[in-house]
Structure formats: structure tokens, C-alpha cells
Amino acid sequence: MTLVDAIRFPGTYSGVRWSRFGRRWVSPLLLLALWELGGRTGVIPARVLAAPSAVAATFWGMVASGELPSNLGVSFLRVAAGLAIGVAIGTALALTAGLSRLGEDAIDPPVQMLRTLPVLALSPLFIVWFGIDETPKIALIALAVTFPIYLNLFSGIRSVDPKLIEAARSFGVRGFDLIRQVILPGALPSFLLGLRFALAVAVLVLVVAEQINAQAGLGYLINNARDFLRTDIIVVCLVIYALLGLGADGLVRAIERRALAWRPSFLKA
Amino acid sequence: MSHPAVRPTSVSKPSADAAIGLPTVEVKGFHRRFGDVVVLQDLDLRIEQGEFVALLGRSGSGKTTLLRTLAGLDSAEGQSVRTPSARAVVFQEPRLLPWKSVWRNVTLGLAGGDPRARAEAALGEVGLDHRANVWPRTLSGGEAQRVALARALVREPRLLLLDEPFASLDALTRIRMHDLVLSLWRRHAPAVLIVTHDVDEAITLADRVLVLDGGRIAAEERIDLPRPREVGAGFQAIRRRLLGALGVEHAAPGEPRAAAPPPLVPFPVREVQA
Ligand SMILES: Nc1ncnc2c1ncn2[C@@H]1O[C@H](COP(=O)(O)OP(=O)(O)OP(=O)(O)O)[C@@H](O)[C@H]1O
Ligand SMILES: [Mg+2]
């Protein structure tokens, strides 16, 4: 069997899948080509939407000049800091509320009330409190992240199968060991689900928070570009935002594959 | 302080109780109620060392309640309930922690010794040493229940408590499990209390079959048939008497077993709002 045969006859199923996979790329590429054509012929003026080739050129220029990496770095640090703080607070609150009735009664009611607030509506208040530098941006992201982490981890802790807990108890697993060996691993899938929500909302809040008088970051680039009608730069930044979201999702998936290797959905792979 | 590994050669270990011939379980005048519902009342129970006892009773008669008390899962404060501290439970479902490998499930809560070696020895006894490293979710129902047995046995219990352990297994697997449980019982000689709905299972396995009814032990059958037990005249006579005690007078051999028990907590009935 030659290499060509192996490629041409890779088994009916994967053959079909590959051709479908290929087919699904046709329409996006066609749209891209139309967009480019519209740009070149002047049907779509650059001040409405820059052509893909112009966007690509701008992208390389911004990378080469260091403008994009440095601003991306600033945005990335904001998300990372907000996430770290929000995940830490959400986890601490959920553990306290999830592991004790007293903690639940103290923590759950205010959190449930606060979470009905649209976080972004708090930005004026945060500006009054924290000024206009990094602090309000990071605080907004942290706050937005806290809720999905808290809600998912709390419900995860509470929905660990009581039969498993009872069985472990009957075999002498108690106290801290019970939390470490039974309750936390049982709540981990919910936590990771919350983490996925948290990453998505972190990027979302980043976009808005960066519009607050930023001196650097992707939002700053977009604001500047808007003032000079540079749609090419705006599109570059939008693509970067999308990639950030994708990367975040991929990160959680990778964590899940490792940490939840025992789950049936991963066992088959 | 490390236990010897579970090995075929170890027979009943001598203990202080054995020397003076105390029973493994002794319950006197036990009562248990949930709210206004009295489930167990004035119940006496005695299980000798190494004795294999089966507990029958209709659904809701309190079998699980009694077993949970003996297991120490429900407190029996202020009542006369004597059980050994070395006891282990096998539940109706395997209740393995899905995020721990099979062998770590077996050694759950064990301290000291060489846990891996002990787990492997116990898994070997139930024929699953080759599955020591896999995740519990990859096991079949019968395999998972064998792991649960290994997890109980690795603790060298003096009292082994089984609550309908084979109820969800198919008939063939169930027969294999009976043989396995009997051989493990002979080897380790714990006292066994098995709760079951299956009269034939009770007669096949036990030295003594108890029927729980009206909150107390309402009937008792000593089974002196030699093992392995075949369905013969003696077997059928015992079965008839037990079925009578259970209120099933005319069931012929091979009659389908009682249907699944109703859920313990009734679904809250509410007005449907228009
Ligand atoms: N935690 C509880 N709270 C209230 N009632 C309970 C509780 N546990 C058991 N009961 C009641 O006690 C009675 C006996 O229950 P138990 O589970 O011991 O029955 P069982 O003999 O094991 O039944 P089955 O054969 O269906 O398993 C039932 O009426 C049940 O509703
Ligand atoms: Mg029961």
C-alpha cells in the first residue's frame, strides 16, 4: 500500500469526515475573498471596513513595531490579575458556604443578591472608588469572575453524592480527609464549568473595562483607532479578543482532560 | 500494627471475644422511629462469630434501618447494641469514588502498611488484580461490586454487612457472586449479615435466615443443608415456610421476585397551578 493509497482510502468514515471538514471551510473563505474584492474595488471603503489584506498588513506592522505585543501584554495582565483575584475570592466563599451551614447562611444571601446586579453597571461606582487606573478595571473583572466560580463550586460541593460521602465515612474517612478525598474531587467538574464561564466573562468585561480612560491595552488601541477611523486596527484588535476567548476555552479543556480523566466522556478518548 | 495482607491461608483470627465465646452482634430491645412511624420495635438479634445470617423482609420493613444501625451509620445511643468496631459494609450500589483508581478505592481510609500490596491481595481474591489501576467507571456492574467486596474485606472485618449487594446484577453474575462470597466467608470467617429480597439467595447462602416483620424478627429458619446447596425437597420446604412468613402463600418456585421497592420519600403532591 503506497502513501497515496493511504491518503485516498483512509477508511470510509474518516474519508467522509475529511471531505466534510474541507467543505466547511469553503463558505468562510469565499466570504473572505468577497470582502477582499469589495475592498479592492472600492465597494467597501476602508473607513467602513478595511480589506483582509490591509488588516493582515496592519497586524504585521503592529507586531513588528512592538505596539501590539506591549498592549496585548497589558490587557493580558489585567485579565490574569482579575481572574486570579476573582477565582480566589469565589473559591474561598464557595468553600466556606459549601462546607458549613453557618457559612452558607452568612455568605449565600448577600452573594445571591449581588449577583443580580449587572457587573458592568457598577463601573461608574468603581471609577469613583478606585480612580481610573488599573484598579477599577481589575476589580470589575475580579467581581464578574467571582460569581460564576462561587455559584458553580457551591452547588458542586452541595451536590456531591451523599451516598459516596456516607460510604467513605463508613470506611473511616472523616474531617479534612473527607473534604480532600471526596468532596473537593466531587465538586471539581462544577468548578471547572464555573471556570469556563469565568474566563468568558473575564474577556467580556475586559473589553468594556478597557474603555475606561485606558492609556494602554487593546481597548486603548481600539479607542485610538476609532478616533482616526482606522478600521484595520479595530479589526486586528477584535481578532485578538476572539483569540483570547478561544485560548481561554482551550486552557480549561486541557485542564479538564487532565483533572477529569476519570470521567466517561474522557475515558473513551 | 500493620495487618497481615489478606491471604488465602489466614483463617479466623483468635480474639479476646472468641476465647470467651461472645456473640459478634448482640442487640436487645432495640427500637427506632422516624417521626411518628415506628420502624423497629423491641427487636432482639444475636449473631455468633463467623455466622452467616440472611435477613428477609418486605419492602419498608426496616432491613436497611437495622443494617445501618449495626454499621454505625445511624447512632443507637442509649440502646443495647453491641457490634465489633472492625466492621465493613457493602451497599446495594458499589459506591466507588469515580476519581480514585480501583486500588485506591480498596484502600480508602486505611492507614499504614503497604496499601498497594494489601489492595492487590484483596483484589486478587475477588479475581480483579489485573484491574487495580483502572478507573471505576470502566468496570461492569459485577466487577464494581466485587471491588466493593474487596474494599470491605481488606479491613479484615469481624462483621461484614451486605445490603442487597447483588440486587442489580444479572442472574448468572449473581450465582458467581454467591460462590465468591461463600469462599471469602470461609477463608476470613467474619460474621455476615446479608439483607436480601431473594428467598432462594438467603437459603443458598446463610446458616440462618431471619424474617423482619412488624418491627422485630418475626421468623427464623436454621439452614442445615450441606453446601453447595441444590434446590431439593429440603430447600423447597424451607422456601415454603419463609414465603409463608413473608405473607406470600402460594408462590411456586421460579415465581418472579417482588417488584422494585417504592422510593422512601414520597413525591410531594402539590396542586398544579393553572
Ligand atoms: N431517614 C429516614 N427518614 C424517614 N423515614 C425513613 C428513613 N429511613 C427509613 N425510613 C422509613 O423506615 C421504613 C423502613 O425503611 P428501610 O429502608 O429500613 O426498609 P427496607 O426494609 O430496607 O426496605 P427495602 O426492602 O425497600 O429496601 C420505611 O417506611 C421508610 O420510609
Ligand atoms: Mg433497604
Side-chain angles (χ1 to χ4, degrees):
Chain A
M1 181 148 149
T2 65
L3 182 63
V4 174
D5 279 348
I7 294 171
R8 280 178 60 194
F9 306 114
T12 332
Y13 176 66
S14 64
V16 167
R17 205 173 54 171
W18 266 107
S19 75
R20 269 211 72 191
F21 183 74
R23 270 212 319 263
R24 291 180 59 82
W25 278 98
V26 173
S27 51
L29 287 176
L30 204 66
L31 276 175
L32 207 63
L34 280 176
W35 175 9
E36 179 71 33
L37 196 70
R40 300 243 168 144
T41 55
V43 175
I44 309 173
R47 48 179 293 237
V48 173
L49 192 59
S53 57
V55 171
T58 304
F59 173 77
W60 286 123
M62 290 170 78
V63 172
S65 71
E67 191 183 10
L68 188 59
S70 66
N71 284 289
L72 177 59
V74 170
S75 292
F76 186 81
L77 283 182
R78 283 178 189 143
V79 189
L83 265 173
I85 297 171
V87 169
I89 295 177
T91 304
L93 291 178
L95 288 179
T96 315
L99 297 176
S100 84
R101 293 283 162 199
L102 184 67
E104 179 183 357
D105 291 345
I107 288 171
D108 201 52
V111 176
Q112 296 290 349
M113 286 174 207
L114 281 178
R115 88 186 171 100
T116 59
L117 279 175
V119 170
L120 292 174
L122 290 175
S123 61
L125 205 52
F126 275 39
I127 292 174
V128 172
W129 290 347
F130 303 120
I132 48 174
D133 334 316
E134 293 303 290
T135 321
K137 301 177 182 66
I138 293 174
L140 269 184
I141 296 173
L143 184 69
V145 161
T146 302
F147 295 113
I149 293 288
Y150 171 83
L151 294 172
N152 283 282
L153 182 54
F154 176 66
S155 92
I157 289 173
R158 283 302 163 85
S159 54
V160 174
D161 188 354
K163 291 181 164 184
L164 289 183
I165 297 177
E166 183 182 83
R169 273 219 179 94
S170 86
F171 292 117
V173 183
R174 273 154 225 269
F176 180 69
D177 268 343
L178 191 70
I179 292 172
R180 194 173 55 82
Q181 298 193 54
V182 185
I183 295 175
L184 292 188
L188 188 60
S190 305
F191 173 79
L192 290 175
L193 184 67
L195 187 60
R196 190 178 284 188
F197 285 130
L199 286 166
V201 82
V203 174
L204 191 74
V205 173
L206 171 77
V207 173
V208 180
E210 289 200 320
Q211 315 276 330
I212 309 172
N213 188 37
Q215 298 304 313
L218 292 175
Y220 163 75
L221 286 181
I222 288 188
N223 270 353
N224 259 359
R226 182 194 60 206
D227 294 345
F228 296 100
L229 303 180
R230 290 288 303 274
T231 56
D232 51 343
I233 298 182
I234 296 182
V235 173
V236 167
C237 292
L238 292 184
V239 172
I240 301 287
Y241 275 136
L243 291 179
L244 268 180
L246 266 180
D249 212 57
L251 181 72
V252 182
R253 275 174 208 280
I255 298 175
E256 281 183 343
R257 257 196 306 280
R258 268 194 65 83
L260 306 182
W262 48 270
R263 290 191 122 190
S265 50
F266 292 113
L267 288 175
K268 285 182 200 103
Chain B
M1 78 152 269
S2 77
H3 281 263
V6 184
R7 271 288 107 189
T9 43
S10 65
V11 193
S12 170
K13 287 169 278 100
S15 70
D17 285 359
I20 45 177
L22 278 176
T24 301
V25 172
E26 194 162 30
V27 175
K28 281 189 190 137
F30 182 75
H31 53 87
R32 174 82 208 231
R33 58 198 299 170
F34 294 104
D36 291 337
V37 187
V38 177
V39 178
L40 299 176
Q41 191 176 19
D42 206 17
L43 181 139
D44 295 333
L45 173 67
R46 205 181 138 99
I47 299 176
E48 304 300 332
Q49 292 165 32
E51 191 185 17
F52 201 132
V53 175
L55 184 63
L56 290 169
R58 62 186 101 202
S59 187
S61 57
K63 303 182 295 295
T64 298
T65 305
L66 177 58
L67 182 131
R68 291 175 57 85
T69 304
L70 298 183
L73 294 173
D74 294 340
S75 98
E77 247 184 62
Q79 302 207 55
S80 169
V81 174
R82 218 174 54 84
T83 55
S85 56
R87 61 198 156 171
V89 193
V90 176
F91 301 92
Q92 178 166 349
E93 331 77 31
R95 298 200 190 182
L96 303 176
L97 300 179
W99 47 83
K100 282 183 183 285
S101 64
V102 160
W103 80 265
R104 285 190 189 278
N105 263 284
V106 170
T107 56
L108 185 69
L110 281 189
D114 180 353
R116 171 91 208 203
R118 288 170 73 184
E120 273 175 359
L123 283 167
E125 287 200 76
V126 299
L128 283 175
D129 37 349
H130 60 293
R131 305 284 265 156
N133 289 317
V134 306
W135 298 114
R137 292 264 167 95
T138 63
L139 299 174
S140 73
E143 288 172 334
Q145 205 55 304
R146 271 145 72 196
V147 173
L149 254 177
R151 178 176 61 180
L153 279 173
V154 77
R155 285 142 228 279
E156 297 277 354
R158 290 220 293 123
L159 174 63
L160 180 61
L161 298 157
L162 309 152
D163 192 359
E164 301 187 42
F166 315 131
S168 55
L169 303 180
D170 65 274
L172 259 174
T173 312
R174 196 192 289 233
I175 292 172
R176 293 224 182 85
M177 293 293 277
H178 290 167
D179 294 343
L180 177 64
V181 164
L182 282 176
S183 74
L184 293 172
W185 169 64
R186 281 197 200 97
R187 198 172 294 160
H188 299 280
V192 179
L193 180 72
I194 182 171
V195 167
T196 173
H197 275 128
D198 185 336
V199 176
D200 287 1
E201 181 170 87
I203 303 172
T204 305
L205 293 175
D207 296 322
R208 196 154 56 97
V209 180
L210 309 174
V211 176
L212 189 60
D213 194 25
R216 63 182 76 187
I217 306 297
E220 177 174 344
E221 281 286 337
R222 190 163 289 284
I223 320 278
D224 289 322
L225 304 171
R227 293 185 176 93
R229 290 171 181 160
E230 306 287 332
V231 180
F235 195 110
Q236 284 184 0
I238 296 168
R239 171 161 58 198
R240 243 186 329 272
R241 287 200 294 275
L242 284 171
L243 286 172
L246 287 162
V248 192
E249 298 294 350
H250 301 293
E255 193 97 324
R257 268 183 296 283
L264 290 185
V265 182
F267 194 79
V269 184
R270 283 219 194 104
E271 296 270 315
V272 179
Q273 295 194 331

